[in-house]
């Protein structure tokens, strides 16, 4: 036999401390005498302590030559069969048996005490898992095991398999009085019912389980059908190797119940990411949320749309309590305070002034969903008071609203038929130049151009500058003047935020029992740049932690639920299969009926 001794620990009790030595002989002798193959010094070791050899069955065998015996895996023995992994203690030296290396019948590794203790603990665990049956009862226990295996196969494999093709048998088992028979129905094969939203693919397991049966469902399996579903955040800008982003099945749990597939009030799944959001996405700019709304929700951020130049709007996120930055430059001039004055607003009615009292609802109407307010339209909401008349001699003619680039050509066409032809005479009447009420026409007397006579083009441009700078247009709008040439002047197109809180779900319809001024303090707002919305403090008065979950105000996906491939998604009535829970099928039918009646 070929033996190899490895010195993994240079013990001082060993006379020979070479890293390794090999032998080609029938036995391996261990002791204190110098004629042993492995010499161990110390009075605890006998002169010839033990010998390792191979028995008739060609198994490695160790025999103690001393009355003190040897310690094998923590037990004192005089002789024993040894195998790979056994730990042998001779005197104060630990030896480990290794038969894994090729070319040797036995490799004896000299190890230290810590390595020996770790090896013995590993062997104990192995013995606990693979404990042998007690002698004398082997046949009896094995027979019972075979009976149990066969019975399990019949009850939970053969009978459910037959029940799939024989529905009457499955109905009998499910309605049986005995729990064991009910457990052998087709339901025993299912880890849970299919939700109503996936019932039409209940028999197509591979639609979701595209990989191994018990592997997590990959996102691509969901996106195969749900092509319109958008991610919670822009994954294209995220390094997924540095971020712990949730998958679809992190939140949507199938085979449990409907309320798990479509989230309702389970805040713990939102907080799982948002409690330490930078651990999930290290570049996140939002704050951590540890508890429900009242306790730890940060102050709201408003999305402000500012239009400093034509067609160049800028959207910024600003904390609602940062009053210096909370300004919306829409390009419009407007005062809510003046329009909501208790004294009313003046209307142009010839020579007499008529007042009209306005309320919030006079201009702001809810949209069809009751969520946001409809856009303000000049013709519908403003034109009654704000006429675009410009010449007192022609009080019925108005400048085209919303077409600033057409005003110069309009004025040229209007004045080209002047009695003086292509030349215009200036009327010296400064009293008519004052514009006191909205819609009051500008008189030609307002044109003090320091010139006796003007060409048609000059007169039209000067009139255009007047309506842009000192009345009509400038009364409500900001003007963009890149140079002195009126032909290049523009009205900055008003741009507003549809909602200041686009990251939250909100419906005005649900809050219509409250006065508008309780959330929008517009009765004191004199500037159009004011963002008249309250923050978290105002909402806490009604929405407390007990009843305000994350999903009450937020949604994971940005598009409405129950849509797929751009079409409304509703459960369809399907043929009842053996693995369908009848109670669930009844719920689906009721749900579908309710959807159709909406």
């Amino acid at each position: 036999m070929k033996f190899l001794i490895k010195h993994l620990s240079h013990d001082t009790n060993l006379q020979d401390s070479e890293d390794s030595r090999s032998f080609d002989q029938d036995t391996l002798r261990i002791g204190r005498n110098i004629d042993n193959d492995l010499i161990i010094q110390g009075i605890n070791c006998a002169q010839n302590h033990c010998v390792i050899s191979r028995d008739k069955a060609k198994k490695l065998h160790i025999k103690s030559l001393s009355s003190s015996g040897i310690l094998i895996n923590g037990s004192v023995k005089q002789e024993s069969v040894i195998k790979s992994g056994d730990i042998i203690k001779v005197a104060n030296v630990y030896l480990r048996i290794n038969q894994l290396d090729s070319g040797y019948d036995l490799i004896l590794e000299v190890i230290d005490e810590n390595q020996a203790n770790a090896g013995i603990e590993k062997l104990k665990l192995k013995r606990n898992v693979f404990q042998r049956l007690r002698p004398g009862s082997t046949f009896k226990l094995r027979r019972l095991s075979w009976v149990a295996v066969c019975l399990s196969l019949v009850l939970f494999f053969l009978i459910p398999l037959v029940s799939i093709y024989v529905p009457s048998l499955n109905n009998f088992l499910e309605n049986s009085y005995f729990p064991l028979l009910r457990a052998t129905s087709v339901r025993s094969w299912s880890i849970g019912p299919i939700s109503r939203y996936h019932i039409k693919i209940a028999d197509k397991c591979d639609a979701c389980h595209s990989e191994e049966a018990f592997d997590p469902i990959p996102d691509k399996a969901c996106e195969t059908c749900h092509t319109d579903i958008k991610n919670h955040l822009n994954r294209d800008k995220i390094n997924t190797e540095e971020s712990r982003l949730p998958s679809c099945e992190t939140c949507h749990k199938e085979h449990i119940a409907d309320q798990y597939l479509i989230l309702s009030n389970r805040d713990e799944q939102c907080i799982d990411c948002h409690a330490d959001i930078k651990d999930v996405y290290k570049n996140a700019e939002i704050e951590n949320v540890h508890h429900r709304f009242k306790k730890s929700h940060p102050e709201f951020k408003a999305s402000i749309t500012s239009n400093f130049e034509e067609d160049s709007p800028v959207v910024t996120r600003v904390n609602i309590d940062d009053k210096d930055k909370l300004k919306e430059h829409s390009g419009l001039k407007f005062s809510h305070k003046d329009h909501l004055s208790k004294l009313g607003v003046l209307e142009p009615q010839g020579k007499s002034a008529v007042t009209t009292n306005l309320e919030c609802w006079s201009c702001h109407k809810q949209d069809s969903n009751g969520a946001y307010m409809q856009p303000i339209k000049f013709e519908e909401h403003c034109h009654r008071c704000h006429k675009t008349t410009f010449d007192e001699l022609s009080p019925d003619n108005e400048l085209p609203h919303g077409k600033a680039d057409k005003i110069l050509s309009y004025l040229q066409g209007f004045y080209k038929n002047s009695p003086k032809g292509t030349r215009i005479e200036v009327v010296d009447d400064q009293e008519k130049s004052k514009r006191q009420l909205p819609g009051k026409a500008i008189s030609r007397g307002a044109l003090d151009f320091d010139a006796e006579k003007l060409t048609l083009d000059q007169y039209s441009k000067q009139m255009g500058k007047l309506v842009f700078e000192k009345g009509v247009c400038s009364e409500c709008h900001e003007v963009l003047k890149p140079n002195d040439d009126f032909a290049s002047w523009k009205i900055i197109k008003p741009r507003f935020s549809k909602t200041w809180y686009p990251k939250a779900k909100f419906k005005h319809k649900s809050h219509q029992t409250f006065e508008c001024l309780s959330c929008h303090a517009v009765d004191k707002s004199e500037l159009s740049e004011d963002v008249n919305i309250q923050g978290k403090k105002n909402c806490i008065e009604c929405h407390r932690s007990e009843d305000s979950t994350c999903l009450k105000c937020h949604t994971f996906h940005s598009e409405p639920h129950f849509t797929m491939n751009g079409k409304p998604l509703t459960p369809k009535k399907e043929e009842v299969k053996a693995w369908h829970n009848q109670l669930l099928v009844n719920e689906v039918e009721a749900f579908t009926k309710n959807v159709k009646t909406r």
Side-chain angles (χ1 to χ4, degrees):
M1 292 192 305
K2 295 186 69 174
F3 299 92
L4 178 66
I5 298 177
K6 286 185 176 181
H7 288 256
L8 303 181
S9 174
H10 296 285
D11 198 306
T12 56
N13 293 321
L14 295 171
Q15 184 175 347
D16 192 343
S17 60
E18 294 182 10
D19 286 341
S20 62
R21 291 181 62 196
S22 60
F23 304 88
D24 190 358
Q25 54 196 34
D26 294 335
T27 61
L28 186 70
R29 295 169 298 161
I30 303 173
R32 196 171 70 225
N33 280 347
I34 60 174
D35 60 346
N36 286 293
D37 302 311
L38 181 60
I39 303 173
I40 299 176
Q41 297 178 346
I43 59 174
N44 293 329
C45 184
Q47 292 183 354
N48 298 296
H49 202 100
C50 60
V51 61
I52 299 176
S53 60
R54 179 173 283 175
D55 59 14
K56 294 181 180 180
K58 295 187 177 183
K59 294 181 179 180
L60 289 175
H61 190 274
I62 188 170
K63 182 178 180 179
S64 176
L65 303 177
S66 170
S67 59
S68 61
I70 50 180
L71 203 64
I72 302 176
N73 298 330
S75 302
V76 178
K77 295 182 180 180
Q78 287 296 322
E79 59 180 308
S80 175
V81 175
I82 56 176
K83 55 186 179 298
S84 183
D86 285 346
I87 306 297
I88 301 172
K89 183 180 182 184
V90 179
N92 294 324
V93 177
Y94 292 94
L95 307 171
R96 179 168 61 198
I97 305 299
N98 192 343
Q99 292 177 292
L100 299 179
D101 287 5
S102 60
Y104 292 95
D105 298 293
L106 170 66
I107 298 175
L108 202 62
E109 298 174 338
V110 180
I111 60 178
D112 58 27
E113 185 176 359
N114 292 332
Q115 291 174 310
N117 292 335
I120 293 173
E121 288 297 324
K122 186 175 181 180
L123 289 169
K124 286 181 179 179
L125 291 173
K126 188 175 181 180
R127 285 199 301 267
N128 290 337
V129 176
F130 301 102
Q131 187 176 12
R132 294 183 178 180
L133 296 173
R134 290 184 293 111
S137 61
T138 301
F139 177 75
K140 181 179 179 181
L141 289 177
R142 285 182 176 175
R143 183 174 61 187
L144 290 177
S145 299
W146 279 110
V147 171
V149 169
C150 293
L151 186 60
S152 298
L153 287 173
V154 171
L155 292 177
F156 302 110
F157 179 77
L158 184 59
I159 294 180
L161 182 62
V162 174
S163 299
I164 291 179
Y165 299 99
V166 185
S168 58
L169 174 60
N170 185 67
N171 292 335
F172 168 76
L173 294 174
E174 286 193 341
N175 297 319
S176 175
Y177 175 78
F178 300 101
L180 180 61
L181 290 178
R182 292 200 299 271
T184 60
S185 65
V186 174
R187 194 180 303 178
S188 64
W189 278 17
S190 175
I191 62 173
I194 297 292
S195 67
R196 70 181 69 181
Y197 310 100
H198 287 157
I199 194 172
K200 68 177 184 179
I201 57 171
D203 56 346
K204 299 177 182 178
C205 300
D206 58 345
C208 298
H209 300 278
S210 56
E211 298 181 359
E212 297 296 331
F214 297 101
D215 284 352
I217 305 298
D219 284 355
K220 62 182 181 181
C222 304
E223 294 168 357
T224 300
C225 295
H226 299 282
T227 56
D228 292 343
I229 296 297
K230 298 177 182 177
N231 290 316
H232 189 50
L233 37 78
N234 191 346
R235 290 176 178 250
D236 296 336
K237 297 183 179 179
I238 298 174
N239 186 347
T240 54
E241 295 180 357
E242 299 178 355
S243 305
R244 182 175 60 86
L245 298 179
S247 62
C248 297
E249 74 160 2
T250 301
C251 299
H252 300 291
K253 304 293 185 182
E254 184 57 279
H255 298 295
I256 299 178
D258 285 352
Q259 64 267 29
Y260 281 83
L261 188 64
I262 304 298
L263 297 183
S264 55
N265 59 350
R266 301 198 308 281
D267 282 348
E268 64 276 6
Q269 289 189 303
C270 301
I271 294 174
D272 181 56
C273 287
H274 286 271
D276 188 2
I277 192 63
K278 289 190 179 295
D279 179 56
V280 181
Y281 175 37
K282 69 176 185 178
N283 295 326
E285 298 179 355
I286 58 178
E287 300 178 35
N288 293 333
V289 180
H290 300 283
H291 302 286
R292 287 192 174 185
F293 177 64
K294 181 179 180 180
K295 290 185 178 181
S296 69
H297 195 290
E299 183 54 272
F300 298 162
K301 282 188 175 182
S303 292
I304 308 301
T305 301
S306 294
N307 194 19
F308 296 99
E309 295 183 1
E310 178 70 14
D311 298 327
S312 300
V314 178
V315 180
T316 55
R317 300 268 291 163
V318 182
N319 273 353
I320 203 71
D321 54 358
D322 190 349
K323 301 303 180 184
D324 293 334
K325 296 182 180 179
L326 196 68
K327 299 181 184 299
E328 186 169 60
H329 301 281
S330 62
L332 191 70
K333 299 177 183 179
F334 185 82
S335 171
H336 275 95
K337 181 180 179 181
D338 291 344
H339 283 75
L340 293 175
S341 172
K342 294 181 179 179
L343 299 177
V345 294
L346 295 174
E347 292 186 30
Q349 295 289 339
K351 297 182 179 181
S352 61
V354 179
T355 60
T356 299
N357 289 90
L358 299 177
E359 302 290 344
C360 297
W361 49 262
S362 300
C363 300
H364 298 287
K365 309 289 185 182
Q366 293 181 15
D367 59 18
S368 58
N369 295 323
Y372 305 121
M373 292 296 172
Q374 297 178 20
I376 298 297
K377 297 180 179 180
F378 172 79
E379 293 77 11
E380 182 178 347
H381 303 100
C382 310
H383 190 230
R384 177 182 175 186
C385 298
H386 296 273
K387 305 294 183 181
T388 60
T389 54
F390 61 96
D391 194 316
E392 196 174 56
L393 300 181
S394 184
D396 296 328
N397 281 279
E398 297 187 51
L399 295 173
H401 184 267
K403 299 177 181 179
D405 58 331
K406 305 293 184 182
I407 287 182
L408 178 58
S409 60
Y410 180 87
L411 291 173
Q412 290 173 335
F414 180 80
Y415 289 116
K416 72 178 180 179
N417 296 320
S418 168
K420 298 295 183 180
T422 59
R423 305 189 68 81
I424 305 295
E425 287 189 1
V426 178
V427 180
D428 187 14
D429 187 357
Q430 300 298 325
E431 291 300 323
K432 296 183 180 181
S433 65
K434 297 180 181 179
R435 181 178 176 84
Q436 298 178 354
L437 296 177
K440 185 177 180 180
I442 292 179
S443 168
R444 296 189 195 186
L447 297 177
D448 184 8
F449 302 143
D450 298 327
E452 295 183 357
K453 294 182 179 181
L454 298 172
T455 65
L456 176 63
D457 183 67
Q458 291 173 332
Y459 191 94
S460 299
K461 286 185 176 181
Q462 294 293 355
M463 178 60 82
K465 287 184 178 182
L466 185 63
V467 297
F468 265 46
E469 288 184 314
K470 298 181 179 181
V472 189
C473 303
S474 61
E475 193 173 293
C476 300
H477 297 278
E478 293 183 2
V479 181
L480 182 63
K481 298 182 289 185
N483 52 56
D484 292 336
D485 184 10
F486 174 72
S488 65
W489 289 15
K490 296 180 180 180
I491 297 296
I492 295 179
K493 184 178 181 180
R495 294 183 184 271
F496 308 93
S497 299
K498 181 180 180 181
T499 170
W500 284 309
Y501 295 143
K503 303 292 184 180
K505 293 187 298 185
F506 181 84
K507 283 192 174 184
H508 282 90
K509 182 179 180 180
S510 303
H511 297 78
Q512 60 187 7
T513 55
F514 299 93
E515 292 184 358
C516 301
L517 297 179
S518 61
C519 296
H520 306 282
V522 294
D523 55 333
K524 300 177 182 178
S525 173
E526 297 182 353
L527 302 174
S528 60
E529 66 181 20
D530 294 338
V531 178
N532 298 298
I533 187 68
Q534 301 295 323
K536 174 183 173 182
K537 183 179 179 180
N538 195 57
C539 298
I540 286 178
E541 295 182 8
C542 298
H543 297 280
R544 301 184 180 275
S545 297
E546 311 77 62
D547 57 359
S548 293
T549 62
C550 299
L551 293 175
K552 192 165 189 176
C553 297
H554 298 283
T555 181
F556 188 90
H557 300 291
S558 59
E559 64 283 330
H561 287 193
F562 305 115
T563 59
M564 187 168 68
N565 299 329
K567 298 179 180 179
L569 176 65
T570 57
K572 297 181 180 180
K573 183 177 180 181
E574 298 290 326
E575 178 187 356
V576 178
K577 307 279 179 71
W579 52 83
H580 290 172
N581 186 318
Q582 184 59 46
L583 179 60
L584 178 62
V585 173
N586 294 339
E587 291 180 358
V588 171
E589 293 178 352
F591 179 82
T592 306
K593 182 178 180 181
N594 291 335
V595 170
K596 291 180 179 180
T597 56
R598 288 176 184 174

